[in-house]
Amino acid sequence: MASKVLKQVSRVITAKRQREGGGFIVRRPLPAASFDYADPFLMLDHMGPANYGPGEAVGAPDHPHRGFETVTYMLSGEFEHHDSHGNHGLLKPGWVQWMTAGSGVIHSEMPSDELLKKGGRFEGFQIWVNLPAKDKMIRPRYQDVPPEDIPWFRSADAKTNIKVIAGEVEGVTATIDTHTPIYFLDLRTSGKYELNIPEGMSAIVYNYYPADILVGQEKTKISESQMAVIKTQGQPVSFEAAESEEGGENKKEARVLVLAGTPIGEEVARYGPFVMNTDEELYQAFADVETGRFGTIPGSTERMRKTREANELRNKAGKE
């Protein structure tokens, strides 16, 4: 009698396209109408890809955050960030920024002057990660990590390469420090690979690339812009490239983000840029912004002007 195939993909969600920040388009599979939280992951946005002409690039001008972390991972283009604590940095292709908003910051994420002036391709991701109650009001922290400091794992057959942004894969350990146990992987395969995810972790897989992939022991097909919700059932999760290269037996490389984390298991009160545990804490966050306790960033008027002009240019050109 044949053994029963283990089902590890509990649901598949297709990302919704919507406008965010200063007017850029994202594909958002999380939260979804019927799935609003993959504890500890609050949101997953796939920014772009967009091909900007000169003067067209937009970002997210000054906005507040409190009570969680924002993780930005760039594939192409450049994002420049400033905050109300005086922090400043430039994220280039391959960079990761792990920002712990904690007690609160005003944050600005804008295209670099170079990207705005010359135009170019822009693509990346932003993930929101919840913090436990004990860490929601800690001091804000940035971890800006260039690609040369992010380790890769390579399988024995050289067909699977995994960028280990957070967590660990077969002895390859990320340099980024997290407040709760988290895996953040960019997994690329033209073959088959079985990934061990610690038991008890919530896990999601997002296909950001135009090549199908088979996920789970049951081989559920996940296409571009789709997210799989994973239940490991205590077994490794299988990833297998699904499409053959034209005119050959080799498989086309598939690329997915794998997010897994130990659930925090606390009440969540969220509204806009704040994620707390109670409604009273949300009200206090809004009050603190209104009374200036989050501070300000010099140059906000100029950033709003650049955003307005970039949107006007794109509208005239008939672009999103």
Side-chain angles (χ1 to χ4, degrees), residues 18-26 45 47-48 50 52 55-63 65 72 74 78-81 107-113 115-116 122 126 302-311 314 320:
Q18 61 189 75
R19 199 173 299 277
E20 280 298 318
F24 55 88
I25 297 295
V26 303
D45 274 356
M47 304 179 290
Y52 290 124
E56 294 179 350
V58 293
D62 307 26
H63 56 281
H65 290 304
T72 305
M74 299 298 297
E78 296 180 343
F79 242 0
E80 188 169 11
H81 73 87
H107 192 217
S108 169
E109 302 155 288
M110 296 291 289
S112 67
D113 290 341
L115 180 61
L116 185 60
F122 176 86
Q126 187 163 103
E302 177 68 5
R303 286 186 289 277
M304 290 302 297
R305 181 189 65 79
K306 288 180 178 180
T307 300
R308 183 178 65 254
E309 291 177 353
N311 281 318
R314 290 203 327 281
E320 281 188 318

Side-chain angles (χ1 to χ4, degrees), residues 42 64-66 68 128 268-279 281-283 285-286:
L42 297 150
H65 290 304
R66 173 180 280 178
F68 65 104
W128 287 12
V268 175
R270 62 191 289 187
Y271 191 88
F274 307 125
V275 183
M276 306 302 292
N277 296 103
T278 67
D279 288 343
E281 290 169 337
L282 284 181
Y283 302 148
F286 279 102

Side-chain angles (χ1 to χ4, degrees), residues 214-230:
L214 305 178
V215 177
Q217 300 294 329
E218 76 281 21
K219 298 187 177 183
T220 298
K221 184 175 77 171
I222 307 299
S223 300
E224 184 182 11
S225 300
Q226 289 187 325
M227 181 185 79
V229 180
I230 304 297

Side-chain angles (χ1 to χ4, degrees), residues 14 21 52 70 77 97 99-100 114 183 212 224 247 281 297 305:
T14 299
Y52 290 124
T70 67
Q97 180 190 81
M99 184 190 82
T100 304
E114 181 81 359
Y183 280 50
D212 293 344
E224 184 182 11
E281 290 169 337
I297 314 172
R305 181 189 65 79

